[in-house]
Amino acid sequence: MLPNNQHHFIVIDDSKLDCFIAEKIIKNTGKCASIKTFVQAKDALEFIATQEPLSPLPVIILVDIQMPVMNGFQFVEAFEQLPYAVISKYIIYVISSSINDEDMNKIHIYPTVKQFLNKPLTSNTLSTLLSKE
Amino acid sequence: MEKIKILYIDDEQNNLNGFKASFRFDYFVFVAATTSQARAFLEEHSDIRIILCDQRMPDQTGVRFFEEIREKHPNPIRMLITGYTDIEAVIDGINRGHIFRYIKKPWTDTDIKSAIEEGNKFYLTNSLLSVKNDELRSAYDELGKFAYSVSHDMRGPLLGVIAAIEIINKSENINEVKEIAGMMDVAVKQLDAFIINLHEYYSLKRGSLVYEPIDFKTIVGDLAALFKVAGSMENIHFTVNVSQTGDFYSDLISIKIILNNLLSNAFKYQRKGSDNKYVEINIDVTNTVATIFVKDNGIGIHEEYINNIFTMFYRATSEETGSGFGLYNVKDALNKLQGTIEVSSTINEGTIFKVTIPGKTHAAK
């Protein structure tokens, strides 16, 4: 059994550097049970749809908004089409470097998105949000 | 200069004949004896600039006619021809703002001519204004897209580098530091490519075309040298065929932007691990047209995305770090040169771009 303050993470960002940074920061919190990174949202979606997540739940997803082919919002829309039994095991945080009113408003229409986070991801913001889980 | 088109409406045939006789040398004159005939002319000739209509038409008044056509044909300048007794109608028409001028009956050639000249000036000013308005609107739209994308595409790599520096500062592991430095390198180069494309975008939007003789062999040679230095030609077989007969005049900056973007894409979007990578450029130039084929056997473009590749900030793949700007600039440059571009592509087999650019025969043109 893992200690109960541990979490599994999925990071989706088309920038390899940003994936790497997220991985580092998440690992440094000491609350990371596992982490998987994806540079393509489609691959992440497939992973989520086919793999049974390990406890403890929920798994935390950090997804970038602006990505080619499937952007963050398209990912969330596709994710919300999955069976409730799957959706309920995840919590989504949307991350981006651009703070655009339209994006900010859009976030509220997706029930599975918990919060918007600014880039760069810092250990402070991450620790704060993990302490609430 | 082409004659401007005038429509004159009057139910008296004599007046119509007289009008046509007086003005057919100066203007392209349409005459109509009924308002329904006038409508037919307006439908057929959307470039009629000035309409003169007699107030007392049998089926309806001139004021009423103008009121009715205004919505469907807002551009032509409307002028009412009327006798003294119709002064109420004139006041009515002018106050409702849909008549540019009224002309007293009986009219003289000078009255009509000066009214038409004034009306034409007004027409030109208005159309110029509406063209400028459209330009302004599209510039605004672009600015909006820009502000959004710039904050992502320029801030994104920077924020990544800032965060990476923080990690490096805490790291004791030299291998890790080197690994991060490699990723920072990619991020910074991506930012640089974006800025170069941004600059190209502005030189295309704001610059005017300068026609000079284009030597394709030299341009492609220079570009090939650049790609070699950048190392992007590693293990990629590059074939250049240039056949140029005669002088070809075009805008050098635009041509460079087109070739550079197409070639750099061909080198960039290769299949990793493939052992027979190639890029081929074939240019055939006569003094009237340059036909360019850029061919690669790289990753190809998905059918679903191929129609969007020329859209600003659109990226069809996450394989490589595109700026979403390159092909937009290519298309923009070709629009300015009145050239064309076609693309055919198969996933995992490669892509062929075909570009044609019409040449100018003289630098002065």
Side-chain angles (χ1 to χ4, degrees):
Chain A
M1 256 323 256
L2 289 160
N4 60 3
N5 66 347
Q6 298 282 298
H7 296 274
H8 294 285
F9 289 86
I10 291 175
V11 174
I12 310 162
D13 197 314
D14 64 315
S15 153
K16 284 185 189 119
L17 179 62
D18 288 1
C19 278
F20 179 85
I21 290 162
E23 196 175 336
K24 275 279 157 199
I25 289 172
I26 289 167
K27 279 184 179 160
N28 286 345
T29 58
K31 293 177 181 175
C32 174
S34 81
I35 176 163
K36 277 202 78 70
T37 62
F38 295 91
V39 287
Q40 298 205 41
K42 272 194 171 155
D43 296 344
L45 194 68
E46 203 187 297
F47 176 81
I48 290 164
T50 54
Q51 304 283 314
E52 185 66 27
L54 300 167
S55 59
L57 296 173
V59 174
I60 296 170
I61 300 175
L62 300 178
V63 59
D64 184 28
I65 294 179
Q66 278 204 341
M67 291 185 289
V69 184
M70 182 187 256
N71 69 30
F73 290 124
Q74 289 165 332
F75 166 80
V76 172
E77 274 158 35
F79 171 79
E80 290 187 350
Q81 299 301 311
L82 296 172
Y84 179 76
V86 177
I87 296 176
S88 58
K89 288 172 181 153
Y90 296 88
I91 286 178
I92 299 180
Y93 290 90
V94 167
I95 47 172
S96 180
S97 59
S98 50
I99 316 102
N100 167 288
D101 285 348
E102 212 178 302
D103 285 353
M104 288 299 260
N105 294 332
K106 234 175 163 179
I107 284 160
H108 304 296
I109 64 173
Y110 300 113
T112 56
V113 174
K114 188 152 187 190
Q115 202 186 315
F116 171 86
L117 302 176
N118 276 320
K119 273 189 188 179
L121 198 61
T122 64
S123 23
N124 271 346
T125 38
L126 203 66
S127 303
T128 321
L129 73 91
L130 285 179
S131 65
K132 288 188 219 148
E133 288 306 331
Chain B
M1 219 175 86
E2 211 174 307
K3 286 182 189 174
I4 62 174
K5 291 185 177 171
I6 311 285
L7 171 61
Y8 180 74
I9 310 155
D10 198 317
D11 61 327
E12 284 175 56
Q13 193 61 44
N14 284 345
N15 287 348
L16 295 180
N17 294 345
F19 189 91
K20 199 157 191 175
S22 305
F23 299 109
R24 70 197 164 98
F25 290 111
D26 296 321
Y27 310 115
F28 199 109
V29 179
F30 296 92
V31 292
T34 63
T35 53
S36 56
Q37 201 186 347
R39 280 172 216 261
F41 279 131
L42 286 170
E43 284 298 321
E44 208 176 319
H45 303 276
S46 59
D47 54 346
I48 287 176
R49 286 194 187 173
I50 291 161
I51 311 169
L52 300 113
C53 184
D54 186 36
Q55 163 67 358
R56 294 202 175 175
M57 293 299 286
D59 45 348
Q60 60 183 159
T61 66
V63 170
R64 184 90 195 116
F65 168 72
F66 281 147
E67 238 178 314
E68 283 179 17
I69 60 156
R70 190 156 67 126
E71 199 172 319
K72 213 168 172 197
H73 307 283
N75 298 330
I77 304 298
R78 296 171 290 271
M79 298 181 189
L80 193 68
I81 298 182
T82 173
Y84 277 119
T85 46
D86 294 317
I87 196 70
E88 286 299 323
V90 173
I91 293 171
D92 194 33
I94 290 173
N95 283 350
R96 282 196 234 165
H98 51 79
I99 285 166
F100 176 72
R101 183 154 293 186
Y102 87 96
I103 297 161
K104 269 186 308 191
K105 242 181 169 176
W107 44 262
T108 68
D109 286 6
T110 336
D111 291 344
I112 300 271
K113 204 154 182 183
S114 80
I116 288 177
E117 294 307 320
E118 286 301 309
N120 188 42
K121 267 186 219 159
F122 190 70
Y123 179 93
L124 291 175
T125 316
N126 269 354
S127 7
L128 198 67
L129 205 63
S130 98
V131 169
K132 289 282 163 203
N133 261 335
D134 287 348
E135 279 176 14
L136 208 60
R137 205 168 296 129
S138 83
Y140 251 50
D141 287 351
E142 245 167 41
L143 199 66
K145 264 201 253 173
F146 236 82
Y148 182 48
S149 187
V150 161
S151 69
H152 179 268
D153 292 299
M154 296 180 79
R155 265 196 96 212
L158 271 182
L159 293 177
V161 169
I162 291 170
I165 290 170
E166 215 177 293
I167 297 172
I168 285 179
N169 280 337
K170 287 178 192 153
S171 176
E172 306 288 337
N173 181 340
I174 184 75
N175 289 328
E176 185 184 63
V177 169
K178 279 191 173 160
E179 190 192 355
I180 300 172
M183 284 187 256
M184 286 165 71
D185 185 53
V186 173
V188 172
K189 278 182 181 148
Q190 185 187 341
L191 181 58
D192 186 46
F194 186 84
I195 293 168
I196 289 171
N197 281 322
L198 196 68
H199 179 74
E200 286 181 349
Y201 170 85
Y202 267 102
S203 37
L204 282 169
K205 284 280 171 209
R206 302 284 166 253
S208 52
L209 299 176
V210 180
Y211 290 104
E212 55 187 298
I214 305 289
D215 177 7
F216 280 94
K217 220 166 222 162
T218 314
I219 297 175
V220 177
D222 290 351
L223 285 174
L226 281 178
F227 287 122
K228 250 176 206 151
V229 171
S232 49
M233 269 166 73
E234 241 170 281
N235 298 322
I236 300 172
H237 189 72
F238 186 35
T239 319
V240 182
N241 295 307
V242 182
S243 134
Q244 182 163 5
T245 51
D247 285 349
F248 183 85
Y249 284 89
S250 193
D251 180 61
L252 182 64
I253 293 176
S254 302
I255 301 268
K256 275 188 177 166
I257 288 172
I258 293 163
L259 291 176
N260 186 30
N261 279 298
L262 290 178
L263 281 176
S264 80
N265 281 351
F267 283 111
K268 186 156 57 170
Y269 298 111
Q270 287 288 338
R271 275 171 296 157
K272 290 187 183 81
S274 160
D275 50 12
N276 63 335
K277 300 175 199 165
Y278 74 80
V279 172
E280 198 181 302
I281 182 163
N282 291 305
I283 305 181
D284 185 63
V285 192
T286 65
N287 49 24
T288 53
V289 66
T291 312
I292 302 162
F293 287 92
V294 178
K295 192 175 168 189
D296 68 65
N297 61 346
I299 60 174
I301 305 162
H302 201 288
E303 219 181 319
E304 209 180 311
Y305 312 128
I306 205 152
N307 291 325
N308 291 322
I309 56 174
F310 297 109
T311 308
M312 199 196 288
F313 302 129
Y314 189 84
R315 290 167 59 201
T317 175
S318 31
E319 287 279 314
E320 277 290 339
T321 51
S323 66
F325 239 145
L327 287 177
Y328 174 87
N329 283 342
V330 168
K331 179 96 183 179
D332 201 39
L334 282 165
N335 283 345
K336 284 185 93 172
L337 300 177
Q338 292 167 315
T340 61
I341 185 160
E342 288 162 45
V343 55
S344 61
S345 186
T346 311
I347 281 286
N348 289 328
E349 282 183 22
T351 305
I352 304 171
F353 281 95
K354 180 192 177 187
V355 169
T356 60
I357 304 165
K360 301 279 173 186
T361 37
H362 287 288
K365 271 193 186 168

